[in-house]
Amino acid sequence: MPEVIGIDHIYLTVSDLARAEAFYTAVLQGVLGYRSNRFTLAGDPHVQFYNRHHGIVLRPARPDTPQQPHNPYSPGLHHLCLRVSSASDVADTARALQAAGIAATDARLYPEYAPDYCATFFTDPDGLRLEVTNYRAERRERHDHWDTLPPHMSTFTLRLAAYPADTAPLLDLIREYLTWLNVDLCGRGLEKELPQFETLFSPPSGLFVLAHVGTELAGCAGLLVHHGRTAELKRVYVRPAHRGLGLGEAMLRRLMELAPTLAVDHLILDAVAPTTHAQALYRRMGFTETPPYYDNAAPDTRFFELHLPPCTL
């Protein structure tokens, strides 16, 4: 079966071609590295901006078309969103647009869309809403594991845990994790964590990412800020029925993208013998073994760390 691998082109009808060309030359060619050319189609001049992935073409409106600001809720194009690699790239884009005299919003996270959704917004001369966003963990997961994801994974979602609403299901999941590890903390350590959830696992002290397959809670991963710019990954767990689908990597990548928002650029974690598969994942994602960072560790415990690129947001 043929596979669509991206957008080929997008046509934008504009009320003033010269004005629109100047705007999109500044945005697409000046900031985002597109190239451009001109051509005529059915007697109408067109301006094309293109890169290795797709083309964006400007064409003039018909003379009898009312020249009004674009209404995103009328039939037609609602908005155009372009993707860059990282949240830092979004921030660089926003600053470059502002330096070019374009009224772009400052780059920031929009957790109501996704925990790692970073974007800048602006409008073209006809009022068309434009957006630049980052290559989010969910999008990477979909791309990297498309051939192995079963159909039900179309409902796969990641979200931030909310206190106190998610406390009970999260604690149940952690109990299941500790039982799987054959670690008995239910009478001591686990219950001790309960009153700490509000302070330790909510920004800026930390956070938990939850994975859902359909309506089922399938996994969790926590990030706890220790000191300075260091945070520890905690309780990384995927239920057995959902293993092998890339959920663990997706949650870790989400935490890695969110870490700079907590002023963190150094991640640490520990792993015990039953998690050999997870240890292989950590190494594949760039974590390296490090000496123990606490005393009285079990003999089979391995310690890992990862230094993240500096955040420019």
Side-chain angles (χ1 to χ4, degrees):
M1 178 183 297
E3 180 184 11
V4 175
I5 60 172
I7 297 172
D8 181 78
H9 61 267
I10 300 169
Y11 272 57
L12 304 177
T13 299
V14 300
S15 60
D16 185 323
L17 185 61
R19 182 181 65 171
E21 181 180 4
F23 174 84
Y24 283 98
T25 295
V27 173
L28 299 177
Q29 199 162 345
V31 174
L32 296 173
Y34 284 65
R35 300 175 185 176
S36 66
N37 59 24
R38 290 170 165 268
F39 63 92
T40 300
L41 185 64
D44 290 328
H46 289 60
V47 180
Q48 175 179 230
F49 297 90
Y50 62 94
N51 62 16
R52 71 177 70 231
H53 302 293
H54 60 251
I56 299 174
V57 181
L58 311 181
R59 58 148 299 123
R62 300 295 186 185
D64 56 351
T65 302
Q67 296 188 10
Q68 300 177 5
H70 178 73
N71 182 350
Y73 296 99
S74 295
L77 185 63
H78 181 275
H79 76 284
L80 171 63
C81 180
L82 302 173
R83 178 193 293 165
V84 294
S85 180
S86 67
S88 295
D89 289 336
V90 177
D92 290 343
T93 299
R95 286 190 287 266
L97 290 171
Q98 293 163 356
I102 295 166
T105 64
D106 291 338
R108 71 172 180 87
L109 287 173
Y110 290 84
E112 62 269 33
Y113 302 145
D116 58 340
Y117 196 116
C118 183
T120 178
F121 296 92
F122 51 105
T123 59
D124 82 350
D126 285 302
L128 175 64
R129 189 186 192 201
L130 302 167
E131 174 186 358
V132 177
T133 189
N134 56 314
Y135 194 8
R136 302 186 302 282
E138 181 268 338
R139 295 289 197 261
R140 294 179 187 271
E141 173 73 9
R142 184 188 301 172
H143 175 274
D144 294 345
H145 298 281
W146 180 260
D147 292 333
T148 60
L149 293 178
H152 73 270
M153 285 298 289
S154 61
T155 58
F156 160 68
T157 57
L158 297 181
R159 67 178 179 87
L160 285 178
Y163 181 91
D166 290 315
T167 299
L170 181 54
L171 283 173
D172 287 342
L173 193 61
I174 293 173
R175 287 189 184 95
E176 180 181 314
Y177 166 61
L178 295 173
T179 299
W180 175 72
L181 287 180
N182 195 27
V183 174
D184 181 15
L185 291 180
C186 294
R188 300 180 295 104
L190 180 60
E191 298 306 327
K192 186 178 178 180
E193 288 182 359
L194 179 58
Q196 298 176 330
F197 267 43
E198 183 175 15
T199 55
L200 295 185
F201 298 110
S202 59
S205 301
L207 48 84
F208 255 103
V209 167
L210 304 180
H212 288 263
V213 175
T215 59
E216 182 180 354
L217 182 58
C220 64
L223 187 71
L224 172 61
V225 178
H226 272 209
H227 53 80
R229 303 183 68 87
T230 297
E232 184 180 9
L233 294 170
K234 303 281 288 184
R235 311 304 192 209
V236 181
Y237 178 63
V238 176
R239 282 182 160 149
H242 302 293
R243 290 176 189 166
L245 302 177
L247 294 181
E249 181 174 351
M251 291 189 295
L252 289 175
R253 290 200 182 281
R254 180 67 54 88
L255 291 175
M256 289 164 62
E257 288 212 352
L258 290 172
T261 70
L262 302 178
V264 165
D265 57 18
H266 179 219
L267 300 180
I268 58 176
L269 63 90
D270 66 87
V272 294
T275 62
T276 52
H277 179 75
Q279 293 179 39
L281 170 63
Y282 302 148
R283 293 186 178 93
R284 189 169 72 249
M285 295 181 67
F287 285 83
T288 57
E289 286 202 43
T290 185
Y293 52 82
Y294 62 82
D295 297 329
N296 303 318
D300 58 359
T301 303
R302 297 289 180 268
F303 294 83
F304 296 86
E305 69 174 350
L306 176 70
H307 291 275
L308 299 172
C311 177
T312 59
L313 280 176

